[in-house]
CSV table of all heavy atoms in Angstrom, one decimal:
chain,number,residue,atom,x,y,z
S,1,MET,N,76.3,119.8,77.4
S,1,MET,CA,76.5,119.1,78.7
S,1,MET,C,77.9,118.7,78.9
S,1,MET,O,78.5,118.1,78.0
S,1,MET,CB,75.5,117.9,78.8
S,1,MET,CG,75.5,117.3,80.2
S,1,MET,SD,74.2,116.1,80.4
S,1,MET,CE,75.1,114.6,80.5
S,2,LYS,N,78.5,119.0,80.1
S,2,LYS,CA,79.8,118.6,80.3
S,2,LYS,C,80.0,117.2,80.8
S,2,LYS,O,79.2,116.8,81.6
S,2,LYS,CB,80.4,119.6,81.4
S,2,LYS,CG,81.9,119.6,81.5
S,2,LYS,CD,82.3,120.7,82.4
S,2,LYS,CE,83.8,120.7,82.5
S,2,LYS,NZ,84.3,121.7,83.3
S,3,PHE,N,81.0,116.5,80.4
S,3,PHE,CA,81.2,115.1,80.8
S,3,PHE,C,81.8,115.1,82.2
S,3,PHE,O,82.6,115.9,82.5
S,3,PHE,CB,82.1,114.4,79.8
S,3,PHE,CG,82.3,113.0,80.2
S,3,PHE,CD1,81.3,112.0,79.8
S,3,PHE,CD2,83.4,112.5,80.8
S,3,PHE,CE1,81.5,110.7,80.1
S,3,PHE,CE2,83.6,111.2,81.1
S,3,PHE,CZ,82.6,110.3,80.7
S,4,LYS,N,81.2,114.2,83.1
S,4,LYS,CA,81.7,114.1,84.4
S,4,LYS,C,82.4,112.7,84.6
S,4,LYS,O,81.9,111.8,84.0
S,4,LYS,CB,80.6,114.3,85.4
S,4,LYS,CG,79.9,115.6,85.3
S,4,LYS,CD,78.8,115.7,86.3
S,4,LYS,CE,77.6,114.8,85.9
S,4,LYS,NZ,76.4,114.9,86.7
S,5,PHE,N,83.3,112.7,85.5
S,5,PHE,CA,84.0,111.4,85.8
S,5,PHE,C,83.1,110.4,86.4
S,5,PHE,O,83.2,109.2,86.3
S,5,PHE,CB,85.3,111.6,86.6
S,5,PHE,CG,85.0,111.9,88.0
S,5,PHE,CD1,84.9,110.9,89.0
S,5,PHE,CD2,84.8,113.2,88.4
S,5,PHE,CE1,84.7,111.3,90.3
S,5,PHE,CE2,84.6,113.6,89.7
S,5,PHE,CZ,84.5,112.6,90.7
S,6,GLU,N,82.0,110.9,87.1
S,6,GLU,CA,81.0,110.0,87.7
S,6,GLU,C,80.3,109.2,86.6
S,6,GLU,O,79.7,108.1,86.9
S,6,GLU,CB,80.0,110.8,88.5
S,6,GLU,CG,80.5,111.4,89.8
S,6,GLU,CD,80.9,112.8,89.6
S,6,GLU,OE1,81.1,113.3,88.4
S,6,GLU,OE2,81.0,113.5,90.6
S,7,ASP,N,80.3,109.6,85.4
S,7,ASP,CA,79.7,108.9,84.3
S,7,ASP,C,80.5,107.7,83.8
S,7,ASP,O,80.0,106.8,83.1
S,7,ASP,CB,79.4,109.8,83.1
S,7,ASP,CG,78.4,110.9,83.5
S,7,ASP,OD1,77.6,110.7,84.4
S,7,ASP,OD2,78.4,112.0,82.8
S,8,LEU,N,81.8,107.7,84.2
S,8,LEU,CA,82.6,106.6,83.7
S,8,LEU,C,82.2,105.3,84.4
S,8,LEU,O,82.1,105.2,85.6
S,8,LEU,CB,84.1,106.9,84.1
S,8,LEU,CG,84.7,108.1,83.3
S,8,LEU,CD1,86.1,108.4,84.0
S,8,LEU,CD2,84.9,107.7,81.9
S,9,ILE,N,82.0,104.2,83.6
S,9,ILE,CA,81.6,102.9,84.2
S,9,ILE,C,82.7,102.4,85.1
S,9,ILE,O,82.4,101.8,86.1
S,9,ILE,CB,81.2,102.0,83.1
S,9,ILE,CG1,80.0,102.5,82.4
S,9,ILE,CG2,81.0,100.6,83.6
S,9,ILE,CD1,79.6,101.7,81.1
S,10,ILE,N,84.0,102.6,84.7
S,10,ILE,CA,85.1,102.0,85.5
S,10,ILE,C,85.1,102.7,86.8
S,10,ILE,O,85.4,102.1,87.8
S,10,ILE,CB,86.4,102.2,84.7
S,10,ILE,CG1,87.5,101.4,85.4
S,10,ILE,CG2,86.8,103.6,84.5
S,10,ILE,CD1,87.4,99.9,85.4
S,11,TRP,N,84.8,104.0,86.9
S,11,TRP,CA,84.8,104.7,88.2
S,11,TRP,C,83.7,104.1,89.1
S,11,TRP,O,83.8,103.9,90.3
S,11,TRP,CB,84.6,106.2,88.0
S,11,TRP,CG,84.7,106.9,89.3
S,11,TRP,CD1,85.8,107.3,90.0
S,11,TRP,CD2,83.5,107.4,90.1
S,11,TRP,NE1,85.4,108.0,91.2
S,11,TRP,CE2,84.0,108.0,91.2
S,11,TRP,CE3,82.1,107.3,89.9
S,11,TRP,CZ2,83.1,108.5,92.2
S,11,TRP,CZ3,81.3,107.8,90.8
S,11,TRP,CH2,81.8,108.4,92.0
S,12,GLN,N,82.5,103.9,88.5
S,12,GLN,CA,81.4,103.4,89.2
S,12,GLN,C,81.7,102.0,89.7
S,12,GLN,O,81.4,101.7,90.9
S,12,GLN,CB,80.1,103.3,88.3
S,12,GLN,CG,79.6,104.7,87.9
S,12,GLN,CD,78.6,104.6,86.7
S,12,GLN,OE1,78.2,103.5,86.3
S,12,GLN,NE2,78.2,105.8,86.3
S,13,LYS,N,82.3,101.2,88.9
S,13,LYS,CA,82.7,99.8,89.4
S,13,LYS,C,83.8,99.9,90.5
S,13,LYS,O,83.8,99.1,91.4
S,13,LYS,CB,83.3,99.0,88.2
S,13,LYS,CG,82.2,98.6,87.3
S,13,LYS,CD,82.7,97.7,86.2
S,13,LYS,CE,81.6,97.4,85.2
S,13,LYS,NZ,81.0,96.1,85.5
S,14,GLY,N,84.7,100.9,90.4
S,14,GLY,CA,85.7,101.1,91.5
S,14,GLY,C,85.0,101.5,92.8
S,14,GLY,O,85.4,101.0,93.8
S,15,MET,N,84.0,102.3,92.7
S,15,MET,CA,83.2,102.7,93.9
S,15,MET,C,82.5,101.5,94.5
S,15,MET,O,82.5,101.3,95.7
S,15,MET,CB,82.2,103.8,93.6
S,15,MET,CG,82.9,105.1,93.3
S,15,MET,SD,83.8,105.8,94.7
S,15,MET,CE,82.5,106.2,95.8
S,16,ASP,N,81.9,100.7,93.6
S,16,ASP,CA,81.2,99.4,94.1
S,16,ASP,C,82.2,98.5,94.7
S,16,ASP,O,81.9,97.9,95.8
S,16,ASP,CB,80.6,98.7,92.9
S,16,ASP,CG,79.4,99.5,92.3
S,16,ASP,OD1,78.9,100.4,93.0
S,16,ASP,OD2,79.0,99.2,91.2
S,17,LEU,N,83.4,98.4,94.1
S,17,LEU,CA,84.4,97.5,94.7
S,17,LEU,C,84.8,98.0,96.1
S,17,LEU,O,85.0,97.2,97.1
S,17,LEU,CB,85.6,97.4,93.8
S,17,LEU,CG,86.8,96.6,94.4
S,17,LEU,CD1,86.4,95.1,94.5
S,17,LEU,CD2,88.0,96.7,93.5
S,18,GLY,N,85.0,99.3,96.2
S,18,GLY,CA,85.3,99.9,97.5
S,18,GLY,C,84.3,99.6,98.6
S,18,GLY,O,84.6,99.3,99.7
S,19,GLU,N,83.0,99.7,98.2
S,19,GLU,CA,81.9,99.4,99.2
S,19,GLU,C,81.9,97.9,99.5
S,19,GLU,O,81.8,97.6,100.7
S,19,GLU,CB,80.6,99.8,98.6
S,19,GLU,CG,80.4,101.3,98.4
S,19,GLU,CD,79.1,101.7,97.6
S,19,GLU,OE1,78.3,100.8,97.4
S,19,GLU,OE2,79.0,102.8,97.3
S,20,ASP,N,82.2,97.1,98.5
S,20,ASP,CA,82.2,95.6,98.8
S,20,ASP,C,83.4,95.3,99.8
S,20,ASP,O,83.2,94.4,100.7
S,20,ASP,CB,82.3,94.8,97.5
S,20,ASP,CG,81.1,94.9,96.7
S,20,ASP,OD1,80.0,95.3,97.2
S,20,ASP,OD2,81.2,94.5,95.5
S,21,MET,N,84.5,95.9,99.5
S,21,MET,CA,85.7,95.7,100.4
S,21,MET,C,85.5,96.2,101.8
S,21,MET,O,85.9,95.5,102.8
S,21,MET,CB,86.9,96.3,99.8
S,21,MET,CG,87.4,95.7,98.5
S,21,MET,SD,87.8,93.9,98.6
S,21,MET,CE,86.4,93.2,97.8
S,22,ASN,N,84.7,97.3,102.0
S,22,ASN,CA,84.4,97.7,103.3
S,22,ASN,C,83.5,96.8,104.1
S,22,ASN,O,83.7,96.5,105.2
S,22,ASN,CB,83.7,99.1,103.3
S,22,ASN,CG,84.7,100.2,103.0
S,22,ASN,OD1,85.9,100.1,103.4
S,22,ASN,ND2,84.3,101.3,102.4
S,23,VAL,N,82.6,96.2,103.3
S,23,VAL,CA,81.7,95.2,104.0
S,23,VAL,C,82.5,93.9,104.3
S,23,VAL,O,82.4,93.4,105.4
S,23,VAL,CB,80.5,94.8,103.0
S,23,VAL,CG1,79.8,93.6,103.5
S,23,VAL,CG2,79.6,96.0,102.8
S,24,LEU,N,83.4,93.5,103.4
S,24,LEU,CA,84.2,92.3,103.7
S,24,LEU,C,85.2,92.6,104.9
S,24,LEU,O,85.3,91.8,105.8
S,24,LEU,CB,85.0,92.0,102.4
S,24,LEU,CG,86.0,90.8,102.6
S,24,LEU,CD1,85.2,89.5,102.8
S,24,LEU,CD2,86.8,90.7,101.3
S,25,ALA,N,85.8,93.8,104.9
S,25,ALA,CA,86.8,94.1,105.9
S,25,ALA,C,86.1,94.2,107.3
S,25,ALA,O,86.7,93.9,108.3
S,25,ALA,CB,87.5,95.4,105.6
S,26,SER,N,84.8,94.6,107.3
S,26,SER,CA,84.1,94.7,108.6
S,26,SER,C,83.9,93.3,109.2
S,26,SER,O,83.6,93.2,110.4
S,26,SER,CB,82.8,95.4,108.4
S,26,SER,OG,81.9,94.6,107.7
S,27,LYS,N,84.0,92.3,108.5
S,27,LYS,CA,83.8,90.9,109.0
S,27,LYS,C,85.1,90.3,109.5
S,27,LYS,O,85.1,89.2,110.0
S,27,LYS,CB,83.2,90.0,107.9
S,27,LYS,CG,81.8,90.5,107.5
S,27,LYS,CD,81.2,89.7,106.4
S,27,LYS,CE,79.9,90.2,106.0
S,27,LYS,NZ,79.3,89.5,104.8
S,28,PHE,N,86.2,91.0,109.3
S,28,PHE,CA,87.5,90.5,109.7
S,28,PHE,C,87.6,90.5,111.3
S,28,PHE,O,86.9,91.2,111.9
S,28,PHE,CB,88.7,91.3,109.2
S,28,PHE,CG,89.0,91.1,107.7
S,28,PHE,CD1,88.2,90.3,106.9
S,28,PHE,CD2,90.1,91.7,107.2
S,28,PHE,CE1,88.5,90.1,105.6
S,28,PHE,CE2,90.4,91.5,105.8
S,28,PHE,CZ,89.6,90.7,105.1
S,29,PRO,N,88.4,89.6,111.8
S,29,PRO,CA,88.6,89.7,113.3
S,29,PRO,C,89.2,91.0,113.8
S,29,PRO,O,89.8,91.7,113.0
S,29,PRO,CB,89.6,88.5,113.6
S,29,PRO,CG,89.9,87.9,112.3
S,29,PRO,CD,89.3,88.6,111.2
S,30,LYS,N,88.9,91.3,115.0
S,30,LYS,CA,89.4,92.6,115.6
S,30,LYS,C,90.9,92.8,115.5
S,30,LYS,O,91.3,93.9,115.3
S,30,LYS,CB,88.9,92.7,117.1
S,30,LYS,CG,87.4,92.9,117.2
S,30,LYS,CD,87.0,94.2,116.7
S,30,LYS,CE,85.5,94.4,117.0
S,30,LYS,NZ,84.9,95.4,116.2
S,31,GLN,N,91.6,91.7,115.6
S,31,GLN,CA,93.1,91.9,115.6
S,31,GLN,C,93.6,92.4,114.2
S,31,GLN,O,94.7,92.9,114.1
S,31,GLN,CB,93.8,90.7,116.1
S,31,GLN,CG,93.7,89.5,115.2
S,31,GLN,CD,92.6,88.5,115.6
S,31,GLN,OE1,91.7,88.9,116.3
S,31,GLN,NE2,92.7,87.3,115.2
S,32,GLU,N,92.8,92.2,113.2
S,32,GLU,CA,93.1,92.6,111.9
S,32,GLU,C,92.6,94.0,111.5
S,32,GLU,O,92.7,94.5,110.4
S,32,GLU,CB,92.6,91.7,110.8
S,32,GLU,CG,93.3,90.3,110.8
S,32,GLU,CD,94.7,90.4,110.5
S,32,GLU,OE1,95.1,91.3,109.8
S,32,GLU,OE2,95.5,89.5,110.9
S,33,LEU,N,92.0,94.7,112.5
S,33,LEU,CA,91.3,96.0,112.3
S,33,LEU,C,92.3,97.0,111.7
S,33,LEU,O,92.0,97.7,110.8
S,33,LEU,CB,90.7,96.5,113.6
S,33,LEU,CG,90.0,97.8,113.5
S,33,LEU,CD1,88.8,97.7,112.5
S,33,LEU,CD2,89.5,98.3,114.8
S,34,TYR,N,93.5,97.1,112.2
S,34,TYR,CA,94.5,98.1,111.8
S,34,TYR,C,95.5,97.5,110.8
S,34,TYR,O,96.4,98.2,110.4
S,34,TYR,CB,95.1,98.7,113.0
S,34,TYR,CG,94.1,99.4,113.9
S,34,TYR,CD1,93.8,98.9,115.1
S,34,TYR,CD2,93.5,100.6,113.4
S,34,TYR,CE1,92.8,99.5,115.9
S,34,TYR,CE2,92.5,101.2,114.2
S,34,TYR,CZ,92.2,100.7,115.4
S,34,TYR,OH,91.3,101.3,116.2
S,35,ASN,N,95.4,96.3,110.5
S,35,ASN,CA,96.4,95.7,109.6
S,35,ASN,C,95.8,95.4,108.2
S,35,ASN,O,95.8,96.3,107.3
S,35,ASN,CB,97.0,94.4,110.2
S,35,ASN,CG,97.8,94.7,111.5
S,35,ASN,OD1,98.5,95.7,111.5
S,35,ASN,ND2,97.7,93.9,112.5
S,36,LEU,N,95.4,94.2,108.0
S,36,LEU,CA,94.9,93.7,106.7
S,36,LEU,C,93.6,94.5,106.3
S,36,LEU,O,93.5,94.9,105.1
S,36,LEU,CB,94.6,92.2,106.8
S,36,LEU,CG,94.2,91.6,105.5
S,36,LEU,CD1,95.3,91.8,104.4
S,36,LEU,CD2,94.0,90.1,105.7
S,37,SER,N,92.7,94.7,107.2
S,37,SER,CA,91.4,95.3,106.8
S,37,SER,C,91.7,96.8,106.4
S,37,SER,O,91.1,97.3,105.4
S,37,SER,CB,90.4,95.2,107.9
S,37,SER,OG,90.8,95.9,109.0
S,38,SER,N,92.6,97.4,107.1
S,38,SER,CA,92.9,98.8,106.8
S,38,SER,C,93.5,98.9,105.4
S,38,SER,O,93.2,99.8,104.6
S,38,SER,CB,93.8,99.4,107.8
S,38,SER,OG,94.2,100.7,107.4
S,39,GLN,N,94.5,98.0,105.1
S,39,GLN,CA,95.2,98.0,103.8
S,39,GLN,C,94.2,97.7,102.7
S,39,GLN,O,94.2,98.3,101.6
S,39,GLN,CB,96.3,97.0,103.9
S,39,GLN,CG,97.1,97.0,102.6
S,39,GLN,CD,98.3,96.1,102.7
S,39,GLN,OE1,98.6,95.5,103.7
S,39,GLN,NE2,99.0,95.9,101.6
S,40,LEU,N,93.3,96.7,103.0
S,40,LEU,CA,92.3,96.4,102.0
S,40,LEU,C,91.4,97.5,101.6
S,40,LEU,O,91.1,97.8,100.5
S,40,LEU,CB,91.4,95.2,102.5
S,40,LEU,CG,90.4,94.6,101.6
S,40,LEU,CD1,91.0,94.0,100.3
S,40,LEU,CD2,89.6,93.6,102.3
S,41,ARG,N,90.9,98.2,102.7
S,41,ARG,CA,90.0,99.4,102.4
S,41,ARG,C,90.8,100.5,101.7
S,41,ARG,O,90.2,101.1,100.7
S,41,ARG,CB,89.6,100.0,103.8
S,41,ARG,CG,88.5,99.1,104.4
S,41,ARG,CD,88.1,99.8,105.7
S,41,ARG,NE,86.9,99.1,106.3
S,41,ARG,CZ,86.9,98.5,107.4
S,41,ARG,NH1,87.9,98.5,108.2
S,41,ARG,NH2,85.8,97.9,107.9
S,42,ARG,N,92.0,100.8,102.0
S,42,ARG,CA,92.7,101.9,101.4
S,42,ARG,C,93.0,101.5,99.9
S,42,ARG,O,92.9,102.4,99.0
S,42,ARG,CB,94.0,102.2,102.1
S,42,ARG,CG,93.8,102.9,103.4
S,42,ARG,CD,95.1,103.3,104.2
S,42,ARG,NE,95.6,102.1,104.8
S,42,ARG,CZ,96.8,101.6,104.5
S,42,ARG,NH1,97.6,102.2,103.7
S,42,ARG,NH2,97.3,100.5,105.2
S,43,ALA,N,93.4,100.3,99.7
S,43,ALA,CA,93.7,99.8,98.3
S,43,ALA,C,92.4,99.9,97.4
S,43,ALA,O,92.5,100.4,96.3
S,43,ALA,CB,94.2,98.4,98.3
S,44,ALA,N,91.3,99.5,97.9
S,44,ALA,CA,90.1,99.5,97.2
S,44,ALA,C,89.6,101.0,96.9
S,44,ALA,O,89.2,101.3,95.8
S,44,ALA,CB,89.0,98.8,97.9
S,45,ASP,N,89.8,101.8,97.9
S,45,ASP,CA,89.4,103.2,97.8
S,45,ASP,C,90.3,104.0,96.8
S,45,ASP,O,89.9,104.9,96.1
S,45,ASP,CB,89.4,104.0,99.1
S,45,ASP,CG,88.3,103.5,100.0
S,45,ASP,OD1,87.3,102.9,99.5
S,45,ASP,OD2,88.4,103.8,101.2
S,46,SER,N,91.5,103.6,96.7
S,46,SER,CA,92.5,104.2,95.8
S,46,SER,C,92.1,104.0,94.3
S,46,SER,O,92.5,104.8,93.5
S,46,SER,CB,93.9,103.8,96.1
S,46,SER,OG,94.1,102.5,95.6
S,47,ILE,N,91.4,103.0,94.0
S,47,ILE,CA,91.1,102.7,92.6
S,47,ILE,C,90.2,103.8,92.1
S,47,ILE,O,90.6,104.5,91.0
S,47,ILE,CB,90.3,101.4,92.5
S,47,ILE,CG1,91.3,100.2,92.8
S,47,ILE,CG2,89.8,101.2,91.1
S,47,ILE,CD1,90.6,98.9,93.0
S,48,ALA,N,89.1,104.1,92.7
S,48,ALA,CA,88.2,105.2,92.3
S,48,ALA,C,89.0,106.6,92.4
S,48,ALA,O,88.8,107.4,91.5
S,48,ALA,CB,87.0,105.2,93.1
S,49,LEU,N,89.8,106.8,93.4
S,49,LEU,CA,90.5,108.0,93.6
S,49,LEU,C,91.5,108.2,92.4
S,49,LEU,O,91.6,109.3,91.9
S,49,LEU,CB,91.2,108.1,94.9
S,49,LEU,CG,92.0,109.3,95.2
S,49,LEU,CD1,91.0,110.5,95.2
S,49,LEU,CD2,92.6,109.2,96.6
S,50,ASN,N,92.2,107.2,92.0
S,50,ASN,CA,93.2,107.3,90.9
S,50,ASN,C,92.5,107.6,89.6
S,50,ASN,O,93.0,108.4,88.8
S,50,ASN,CB,94.0,106.1,90.8
S,50,ASN,CG,95.0,106.0,91.9
S,50,ASN,OD1,95.4,107.0,92.5
S,50,ASN,ND2,95.4,104.8,92.3
S,51,ILE,N,91.3,107.0,89.4
S,51,ILE,CA,90.6,107.3,88.2
S,51,ILE,C,90.1,108.8,88.2
S,51,ILE,O,90.3,109.5,87.1
S,51,ILE,CB,89.3,106.4,88.0
S,51,ILE,CG1,89.8,105.0,87.8
S,51,ILE,CG2,88.4,106.8,86.9
S,51,ILE,CD1,88.8,103.9,88.0
S,52,PHE,N,89.7,109.3,89.3
S,52,PHE,CA,89.3,110.7,89.4
S,52,PHE,C,90.5,111.6,89.1
S,52,PHE,O,90.4,112.6,88.4
S,52,PHE,CB,88.7,110.9,90.8
S,52,PHE,CG,88.7,112.4,91.2
S,52,PHE,CD1,87.7,113.2,90.7
S,52,PHE,CD2,89.6,112.9,92.1
S,52,PHE,CE1,87.6,114.5,91.0
S,52,PHE,CE2,89.5,114.3,92.4
S,52,PHE,CZ,88.5,115.1,91.9
S,53,ARG,N,91.6,111.3,89.7
S,53,ARG,CA,92.8,112.2,89.5
S,53,ARG,C,93.2,112.2,88.1
S,53,ARG,O,93.6,113.2,87.5
S,53,ARG,CB,93.9,111.7,90.4
S,53,ARG,CG,93.8,112.0,91.9
S,53,ARG,CD,94.9,111.5,92.7
S,53,ARG,NE,94.8,111.8,94.1
S,53,ARG,CZ,95.5,111.2,95.0
S,53,ARG,NH1,96.3,110.2,94.7
S,53,ARG,NH2,95.3,111.5,96.3
S,54,ARG,N,93.3,111.0,87.5
S,54,ARG,CA,93.7,110.9,86.1
S,54,ARG,C,92.7,111.7,85.1
S,54,ARG,O,93.1,112.3,84.2
S,54,ARG,CB,93.8,109.5,85.6
S,54,ARG,CG,94.3,109.3,84.2
S,54,ARG,CD,95.7,109.9,84.0
S,54,ARG,NE,96.1,109.8,82.7
S,54,ARG,CZ,96.4,110.8,81.8
S,54,ARG,NH1,96.4,112.0,82.3
S,54,ARG,NH2,96.7,110.6,80.6
S,55,PHE,N,91.4,111.5,85.4
S,55,PHE,CA,90.4,112.2,84.6
S,55,PHE,C,90.6,113.7,84.7
S,55,PHE,O,90.6,114.5,83.7
S,55,PHE,CB,89.0,111.8,85.1
S,55,PHE,CG,87.9,112.5,84.4
S,55,PHE,CD1,87.5,112.1,83.1
S,55,PHE,CD2,87.3,113.6,84.9
S,55,PHE,CE1,86.5,112.7,82.4
S,55,PHE,CE2,86.3,114.3,84.2
S,55,PHE,CZ,85.9,113.8,82.9
S,56,ASN,N,90.8,114.2,86.0
S,56,ASN,CA,91.0,115.7,86.2
S,56,ASN,C,92.3,116.1,85.5
S,56,ASN,O,92.4,117.2,84.9
S,56,ASN,CB,91.0,116.0,87.6
S,56,ASN,CG,89.6,116.2,88.1
S,56,ASN,OD1,88.7,116.4,87.4
S,56,ASN,ND2,89.5,116.1,89.5
S,57,PHE,N,93.4,115.3,85.6
S,57,PHE,CA,94.6,115.7,84.9
S,57,PHE,C,94.4,115.8,83.4
S,57,PHE,O,94.9,116.8,82.8
S,57,PHE,CB,95.7,114.6,85.2
S,57,PHE,CG,97.0,114.9,84.5
S,57,PHE,CD1,97.9,115.8,85.0
S,57,PHE,CD2,97.3,114.2,83.4
S,57,PHE,CE1,99.1,116.1,84.4
S,57,PHE,CE2,98.5,114.4,82.7
S,57,PHE,CZ,99.4,115.4,83.2
S,58,ALA,N,93.7,114.9,82.8
S,58,ALA,CA,93.4,114.9,81.4
S,58,ALA,C,92.6,116.1,81.0
S,58,ALA,O,92.9,116.7,79.9
S,58,ALA,CB,92.7,113.6,80.9
S,59,ILE,N,91.6,116.5,81.8
S,59,ILE,CA,90.8,117.7,81.5
S,59,ILE,C,91.7,118.9,81.6
S,59,ILE,O,91.6,119.8,80.7
S,59,ILE,CB,89.6,117.8,82.5
S,59,ILE,CG1,88.7,116.6,82.3
S,59,ILE,CG2,88.9,119.1,82.4
S,59,ILE,CD1,88.0,116.5,80.9
S,60,TRP,N,92.4,119.1,82.6
S,60,TRP,CA,93.2,120.3,82.8
S,60,TRP,C,94.4,120.5,81.9
S,60,TRP,O,94.8,121.6,81.5
S,60,TRP,CB,93.7,120.4,84.3
S,60,TRP,CG,92.6,120.8,85.2
S,60,TRP,CD1,92.0,120.0,86.0
S,60,TRP,CD2,92.1,122.1,85.4
S,60,TRP,NE1,91.0,120.7,86.7
S,60,TRP,CE2,91.0,122.0,86.4
S,60,TRP,CE3,92.3,123.3,84.8
S,60,TRP,CZ2,90.3,123.1,86.8
S,60,TRP,CZ3,91.6,124.4,85.3
S,60,TRP,CH2,90.6,124.3,86.2
S,61,THR,N,94.9,119.4,81.4
S,61,THR,CA,96.0,119.5,80.4
S,61,THR,C,95.5,119.8,79.0
S,61,THR,O,96.3,120.2,78.2
S,61,THR,CB,96.9,118.2,80.4
S,61,THR,OG1,96.0,117.1,80.1
S,61,THR,CG2,97.6,118.0,81.7
S,62,ARG,N,94.2,119.7,78.8
S,62,ARG,CA,93.7,120.0,77.5
S,62,ARG,C,93.4,121.5,77.3
S,62,ARG,O,93.2,122.0,76.2
S,62,ARG,CB,92.4,119.2,77.2
S,62,ARG,CG,92.6,117.9,76.6
S,62,ARG,CD,91.3,117.4,76.0
S,62,ARG,NE,90.7,116.4,76.9
S,62,ARG,CZ,89.5,116.1,76.9
S,62,ARG,NH1,88.6,116.6,76.0
S,62,ARG,NH2,89.0,115.2,77.8
S,63,VAL,N,93.3,122.2,78.4
S,63,VAL,CA,92.9,123.6,78.4
S,63,VAL,C,94.0,124.5,77.9
S,63,VAL,O,95.2,124.2,77.9
S,63,VAL,CB,92.5,124.1,79.8
S,63,VAL,CG1,92.3,125.6,79.9
S,63,VAL,CG2,91.3,123.3,80.3
């Protein structure tokens, strides 16, 4: 069986954090829709994305 990055606990926690930040950002005032809430969402989403990218880099450099 091949190891998948979805099995990484840190990736799962990063995804959970992204979901939590989306819920939190949805409660911000409308004037923050394109400022603070957007930045918060992008920063939280980048955690899981960076883990995915690093995992794939590590896999491809071993070949």
